[in-house]
Amino acid sequence: QANALSLGGLVTILIGSYYLSELNLYPGWWAIFPTLASAAVILAGPDSIANKYFLSNKAMVFIGKISYSLYLWHWPLLVFSRSIFPIGTFLHTYIWFIVLLAFIFSIISYFFIENPIRFSNFKNIFFTLLIIMFFIGVGSFVIYKKPELARPN
């Protein structure tokens, strides 16, 4: 039963990633499919065949480790590539190049930002993050006041 749950969940996630689009008014009630499929994979437990041999291999575990950075990097790269390189140009046509960039930036972020923050002294990191947030706030305010600075020529 656990094997059927994990395999069924993975297959449902794969089918959903192919068929769900903005035409399905996603997210909406369509979100129930990937949600239940993910729950099935988790419910199946670590000894089910898909979880033990597919999701537990080193490549998938590594993707899991960089997943937060990947989550943070993929969307801005996709959005900015669309605004900078219109439909029909190289980067818009080869979207996998943008995905590869997201993976590269995610790996760099994981090793040089996430891990150092995770394993650092709290006092030092607090002030560093405070300074970074200050500059992000100043940059955001400048772009808010002069939006032409954020638009490509």
Side-chain angles (χ1 to χ4, degrees):
Q1 185 177 5
N3 290 335
L5 267 177
S6 67
L7 288 172
L10 282 178
V11 167
T12 304
I13 290 169
L14 291 173
I15 290 171
S17 68
Y18 182 76
Y19 284 106
L20 290 178
S21 70
E22 59 271 357
L23 299 176
N24 302 109
L25 299 175
Y26 186 85
W29 70 271
W30 285 98
I32 195 73
F33 293 110
T35 303
L36 291 177
S38 299
V41 171
I42 293 167
L43 185 63
D47 292 328
S48 63
I49 194 164
N51 297 358
K52 188 173 188 176
Y53 296 107
F54 178 65
L55 295 176
S56 295
N57 74 52
K58 288 183 180 186
M60 294 302 286
V61 170
F62 182 73
I63 290 172
K65 286 181 177 181
I66 67 165
S67 64
Y68 185 67
S69 291
L70 191 57
Y71 166 75
L72 293 176
W73 277 111
H74 87 284
W75 197 246
L77 287 172
L78 290 172
V79 168
F80 289 132
S81 70
R82 273 197 154 180
S83 66
I84 295 170
F85 304 100
I87 293 174
T89 61
F90 172 79
L91 285 178
H92 187 282
T93 305
Y94 296 99
I95 201 68
W96 291 106
F97 178 73
I98 300 300
V99 173
L100 177 65
L101 278 179
F103 268 90
I104 291 168
F105 290 166
S106 299
I107 291 168
I108 291 168
S109 295
Y110 176 74
F111 285 110
F112 295 106
I113 297 172
E114 279 186 54
N115 279 345
I117 289 173
R118 186 179 305 131
F119 301 114
S120 71
N121 180 348
F122 178 74
K123 288 184 212 172
N124 295 339
I125 200 62
F126 175 78
F127 290 111
T128 304
L129 292 175
L130 195 61
I131 291 168
I132 291 170
M133 287 185 342
F134 172 76
F135 282 111
I136 289 173
V138 169
S140 299
F141 182 75
V142 168
I143 289 173
Y144 174 74
K145 288 296 189 180
K146 291 196 165 269
E148 62 272 9
L149 294 174
R151 293 190 186 107
N153 294 332

